[in-house]
């Protein structure tokens, strides 16, 4: 029963992590493409909130439930699919931490532009470009982790 609870929480948090990340990325990217400062500011605000409400807890739940299952099944962390999943998880995390900072900065910049009824500064667009490109390896790593979980040996 403990194993099944850990597995259910692991799977649900993975779906929430990936879904929130992909959904937030899509809506933010589309808002940025619109050029509408009010829409961009509102979307950035929601992306930051979604990260704190959904992404942050799942980032904590994922390793706790995963390692809990490994301990119950007596599978060492050095097992290749486990090892590479952890490496990829740290790569995704290394990309996510600066993304969080960038999202907060872009939220602040877009709110200032909305309040002053001015265009977004060049800094905003530099942050947006970096935010996008940090998302590519992060999402790729997450997809590869899911593949390792599904197609593992044993």
């Amino acid at each position: 029963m403990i194993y099944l609870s850990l597995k259910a929480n692991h799977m649900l948090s993975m779906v929430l992590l990936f879904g929130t990340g992909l959904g937030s990325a899509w809506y933010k990217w589309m808002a940025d493409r619109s050029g509408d400062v009010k829409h961009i500011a509102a979307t950035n605000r929601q992306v930051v909130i979604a990260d704190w409400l959904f992404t942050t807890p799942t980032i904590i739940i994922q390793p706790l439930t995963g390692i809990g299952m490994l301990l119950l099944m007596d599978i060492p962390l050095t097992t290749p699919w486990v090892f590479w999943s952890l490496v990829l998880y740290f790569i995704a995390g290394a990309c996510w931490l600066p993304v969080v900072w960038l999202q907060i900065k872009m939220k602040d910049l877009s709110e200032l532009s909305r309040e002053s009824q001015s265009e977004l500064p060049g800094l905003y667009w530099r942050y947006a470009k970096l935010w996008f490109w940090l998302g590519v390896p992060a999402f790729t790593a997450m997809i590869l982790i899911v593949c390792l979980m599904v197609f593992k040996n044993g």
Side-chain angles (χ1 to χ4, degrees), residues 81-98:
W81 67 268
V82 174
F83 173 80
W84 288 110
S85 293
L86 291 170
V87 168
L88 290 165
Y89 193 76
F90 285 111
I91 289 170
C95 293
W96 180 71
L97 289 173

Side-chain angles (χ1 to χ4, degrees), residues 1-153:
M1 187 61 163
I2 292 172
Y3 174 80
L4 291 178
S5 294
L6 287 170
K7 186 175 183 179
N9 281 303
H10 193 71
M11 292 174 69
L12 289 172
S13 68
M14 178 275 301
V15 169
L16 190 58
L17 173 63
F18 195 80
T20 301
L22 190 57
S24 293
W26 172 257
Y27 287 112
K28 183 190 169 351
W29 187 59
M30 293 307 290
D32 282 353
R33 290 174 47 94
S34 77
D36 180 343
V37 175
K38 288 180 184 177
H39 179 52
I40 291 168
T43 302
N44 282 331
R45 188 170 43 257
Q46 295 306 314
V47 165
V48 169
I49 291 170
D51 240 5
W52 290 116
L53 288 178
F54 303 111
T55 308
T56 300
T58 61
I59 284 174
I60 296 164
I61 291 168
Q62 281 291 287
L64 293 177
T65 56
I67 291 170
M69 287 187 293
L70 292 171
L71 291 172
L72 286 173
M73 295 185 302
D74 200 30
I75 297 174
L77 295 177
T78 55
T79 304
W81 67 268
V82 174
F83 173 80
W84 288 110
S85 293
L86 291 170
V87 168
L88 290 165
Y89 193 76
F90 285 111
I91 289 170
C95 293
W96 180 71
L97 289 173
V99 159
V100 170
W101 183 85
L102 289 165
Q103 286 174 174
I104 292 168
K105 292 298 183 185
M106 286 186 288
K107 176 189 74 71
D108 294 343
L109 288 168
S110 62
E111 287 177 351
L112 284 172
S113 290
R114 179 185 48 81
E115 290 167 7
S116 66
Q117 297 181 352
S118 61
E119 291 194 20
L120 293 164
L123 181 61
Y124 178 91
W125 297 110
R126 287 191 296 279
Y127 285 168
K129 187 181 233 180
L130 183 56
W131 171 87
F132 177 86
W133 287 111
L134 283 167
V136 171
F139 278 111
T140 302
M142 296 307 290
I143 290 168
L144 291 172
I145 291 167
V146 170
C147 290
L148 284 168
M149 298 291 120
V150 171
F151 300 110
K152 66 184 180 271
N153 280 340

